[in-house]
Amino acid sequence: DTLTVTSVNGRVQSYAYDDVPVITRTFLGTSDQTAHADIVSNIPEWTTDHRLRGIAGVYVRLRYEFEAFPNGIPNVTALVEGKNDIYDFRTSTSSYTSNAALIVADYLMNDKFGLGVTQADIDTTTINAAANECDEDVVLDDASTENRYECHGVIDTGANPKDNLEGLLSSMMGTAVYSGGVWYIRAGAYETPSITLDESDLRDNIQVQTRLPRTELCNGVRGTYYGVGNNYMESDFPAVTNATYLTEDDSERIWKNVEFPFTTSPSMAQRMAKIILEESRQGIVVKYPCKLTALETIAGGTVLIDNTRFDWTAKPFRITDWSFAIDDEHALGVDLILRETASGIYDWNDGEETVVDLAPNTNLPSPWYC
């Protein structure tokens, strides 16, 4: 009836219920790892050549005892801390971290199961800003705090790297854009624009879509995460809804289903669901054909737009697509696809619903008011 735990340097070496031994041995997959002596001694087929370099694992030995294991061999699971040499661009040090932005950068730089890019290929400004945003404290309902974003999970090294990258990015509602030989990593947070574009930057007429099709709208977001309280099994997080948007949609509930495979906090999942909900309601999309004056803009970043016709004064937009263009007259330019955004999209106030449009479509007065 007594559980005895033996550990060395904080690592569990063995458990024992009375005199029934449960032996565990861990190996971390280091590049100079040797075959574990216990495994060599107890498994005839295992030799000193079975070093498992680059492979972490746990060796478990149970001595059969009906009273201890009445249902047969138990299901053995492990809670693994994970990679312990993730580089932090802010401090130039490497250690274990759950910071989602740094984990994304580590995956990009890994030459075994990632893309093998170098540190110089990662834009320092955006990765540092994203890492800081992930570390921001968020106050919860019980007055405790948690990081804004964290990344916890397991990737499949046999899967498409693009799929793995998208899964990691989902843990911080982030983006990773490759432009000009450099990766720009951003977390899901409002980025204050430093560039303003107006009519003088245009080389042609703009095209404006004022509303997204109904198939792309939602007034509620629900989905799954991998909760700590459920032994990291897939669980439903509390749905995020918005009464104002429900009214706008003729009281018809429109759900969007999402998955957060690298998120273990229900409150974190709800905050990310709220971002998805708010982004779906910002419907203005602009095709913006620019001169080369827009060359310094980057996909994934934000800009301010001044436009007299639409009465936009410093209206923020996120750049969803960026491409070079050559006109029929062989004039060079930059074509941008912009989508309206607002800082309030990323706010979270104790689950309060949004009651106004976070990004007004225009500053013009209502035509119905006199």
Side-chain angles (χ1 to χ4, degrees), residues 209 212-218 254 256 279-281 339:
Q209 175 183 308
L212 293 175
R214 193 176 181 84
T215 55
E216 297 182 29
L217 292 177
C218 67
I254 305 174
K256 182 176 181 65
E279 285 185 334
S280 79
R281 309 303 297 200
R339 183 167 177 176

Side-chain angles (χ1 to χ4, degrees), residues 341-364:
T341 187
S343 60
I345 290 174
Y346 306 96
D347 292 342
W348 180 263
N349 299 311
D350 298 329
E352 294 179 1
E353 294 185 345
T354 302
V355 296
V356 296
D357 188 353
L358 296 173
N361 294 345
T362 180
N363 295 326
L364 290 170

